[in-house]
Amino acid sequence: METELSKRLGVEHAIFGFTPFPAVAAAISRAGGFGVLGAVRYTAPGDLARDLDWMQEHTGGRPYGLDVVMPARKVEGVTEAEVEAMIPEAHRRFVQDLLDKHGVPPLPEGEASGWRITGWMEHVARSQLDVAFDYPIKLLANALGSPPPDVVGRAHDHGVLVAALAGSAAHARRHAEAGIDIVVAQGYEAGGHTGEIASMVLTPEVVDAVGPLPVLAAGGIGSGEQIAAGLALGAQGVWLGSIWLTTTEADLHSRALTAKLLAAGSGDTVRSRALTGKPARQLRTEWTDAWDDPDGPGTLPMPLQGLLVAEAVSRIQKHGTEPLLGTPVGQIVGRMTSERSVQQVFDELTRGFERAVDRIQRIAGRSAS
Ligand SMILES: Cc1cc2nc3c(=O)[nH]c(=O)nc-3n(C[C@H](O)[C@H](O)[C@H](O)COP(=O)(O)O)c2cc1C
């Protein structure tokens, strides 16, 4: 599955895998794809350096990349405590009542909530880059906007290609104007922050908008047939996020969550502001229902919502409180029905791709005769 972009990056398959787990990212690169490690949770530079050291040892010299989150609207010049003070008391009470209703115990003494606002602050993302550029990363991806010009310049000086996620053609054009190298066209079906346009419509729109810049198709891809569709729509590769969550290498910290993902159908996700304050596709749970209930207090804007719910989310995950337990995941969750290794997922993807190509060749051959 070779495209100009996969050749440029030196990978066998034009399959890019986003994941928050180093073990998954390394396994994707070892399998012949391009593993991209999500950095948003690394608020201490030492932790990122430790995991990049680990990646170096476990990617067998294969290329990999890093994904940071620099939101277009910056949260700078205020401390985390000042931001925290902006959260209304009624919202705090709502969280507490939800936790009480489901009997969610507190975190063990001294255990910090795993998820903080700071990964979305530009100075933290920049400190992640200070670490990352000491490693031979081949790609830097940014969610939620175009990276600032000096970051694009710095990446290029290090020989690192820059990618950014886009949910519309206009968004993709802004990335192209910002000098980035690859646009990830991420459709409505995708897990995580998404726009409102489905991949089938979005991919060719973005290809037309920014070509000849390479485009990766993302959102709703979990089979080789879907990869073939993305490439047929003009993409130079595909970018998959959800499918890796139920691999044996993933570290979800909760068997109950893995079981929920394996049981979920494609209709069991919702695009909700419940986790971060921006619409993000995730498993539909009693947590998202409570926040999306018109009789509730409603969600707060980013970054307040993330700050408000960080500890609650950690408590729910820690204790595996089933009705509230969720994660960002896309509609492709309906195909995630068994736990497999990354290599097994890869083998199925490449076999499915070959089947799709054969089928189209047969159809094209028949219609030509
Ligand atoms: C659990 C999870 C976390 C995600 N976090 C990020 C993130 O931090 N940065 C980012 O650029 N994209 C993030 N995404 C989106 C992925 O990069 C990718 O675009 C998306 O998963 C593709 O669609 P799919 O879920 O249908 O495969 C996340 C996706 C998931 C499932």
Side-chain angles (χ1 to χ4, degrees):
M1 203 183 301
E2 204 180 68
T3 65
E4 258 174 55
L5 182 63
S6 66
K7 279 193 270 181
R8 191 165 159 200
L9 282 166
V11 290
E12 195 182 338
H13 302 296
I15 300 175
F16 293 69
F18 167 90
T19 170
F21 308 116
V24 177
I28 292 168
S29 289
R30 283 198 310 272
F34 191 96
V36 181
L37 179 65
V40 71
R41 72 192 170 92
Y42 294 98
T43 50
D47 293 348
L48 181 58
R50 180 203 59 216
D51 282 2
L52 288 176
D53 280 338
W54 189 93
M55 290 281 291
Q56 275 302 106
E57 281 166 33
H58 292 85
T59 42
R62 306 282 182 100
Y64 64 91
L66 194 75
D67 177 284
V68 296
V69 180
M70 287 191 178
R73 280 179 53 205
K74 317 237 178 327
V75 191
E76 294 299 324
V78 278
T79 64
E80 201 172 324
E82 283 166 340
V83 177
E84 186 136 13
M86 295 175 196
I87 297 173
E89 198 42 47
H91 282 77
R92 292 192 187 282
R93 260 200 318 277
F94 185 73
V95 171
Q96 194 53 52
D97 289 350
L98 254 177
L99 295 174
D100 289 348
K101 181 178 158 198
H102 291 275
V104 185
L107 289 175
E109 186 108 8
E111 189 167 312
S113 129
W115 190 44
R116 304 302 292 171
I117 160 199
T118 49
W120 295 328
M121 294 178 92
E122 188 173 328
H123 73 270
V124 176
R126 282 180 183 276
S127 70
Q128 292 166 344
L129 296 180
D130 290 341
V131 173
F133 287 134
D134 282 342
Y135 291 82
I137 59 167
K138 289 279 180 285
L139 177 82
L140 176 68
N142 190 45
L144 301 182
S146 303
D150 68 297
V151 171
V152 176
R154 206 171 151 200
H156 288 165
D157 289 347
H158 281 84
V160 174
L161 295 184
V162 181
L165 274 67
S168 70
H171 199 176
R173 268 188 222 102
R174 283 200 294 277
H175 289 331
E177 282 158 17
I180 66 135
D181 307 290
I182 301 166
V183 175
V184 181
Q186 190 204 245
Y188 173 80
E189 309 91 319
H193 294 118
T194 64
E196 293 187 336
I197 306 168
S199 297
M200 185 65 121
V201 173
L202 181 70
T203 308
E205 272 188 9
V206 171
V207 169
D208 286 350
V210 301
L213 215 59
V215 172
L216 300 177
I221 299 179
S223 73
E225 286 80 354
Q226 288 160 328
I227 293 177
L231 297 182
L233 293 172
Q236 282 211 27
V238 289
W239 175 279
L240 283 60
S242 293
I243 196 81
W244 318 112
L245 289 174
T246 49
T247 56
T248 46
E249 291 90 340
D251 185 10
L252 284 182
H253 300 296
S254 164
R255 290 305 303 165
L257 183 52
T258 303
K260 262 185 121 166
L261 287 171
L262 294 174
S266 53
D268 290 330
T269 71
V270 63
R271 197 168 156 267
S272 169
R273 295 177 187 266
L275 214 48
T276 66
K278 275 184 184 286
R281 186 169 297 287
Q282 53 201 287
L283 217 47
R284 183 178 168 190
T285 65
E286 290 192 28
W287 174 263
T288 60
D289 284 352
W291 284 106
D292 296 337
D293 185 342
D295 294 332
T299 53
L300 297 171
M302 188 182 224
L304 297 183
Q305 182 72 12
L307 190 57
L308 169 66
V309 306
E311 191 192 324
V313 169
S314 295
R315 283 169 61 178
I316 293 163
Q317 283 174 352
K318 174 93 193 170
H319 300 291
T321 313
E322 218 271 341
L324 301 178
L325 197 55
T327 173
V329 71
Q331 293 178 338
I332 199 67
V333 71
R335 288 187 82 100
M336 293 154 54
T337 52
S338 64
E339 258 183 294
R340 292 164 297 166
S341 67
V342 167
Q343 185 64 57
Q344 283 170 324
V345 171
F346 244 85
D347 292 344
E348 279 182 33
L349 292 175
T350 49
R351 273 199 301 271
F353 177 76
E354 281 160 19
R355 274 196 307 272
V357 170
D358 281 351
R359 190 180 312 132
I360 295 300
Q361 276 173 344
R362 278 200 309 277
I363 293 168
R366 266 207 296 274
S367 55
S369 61

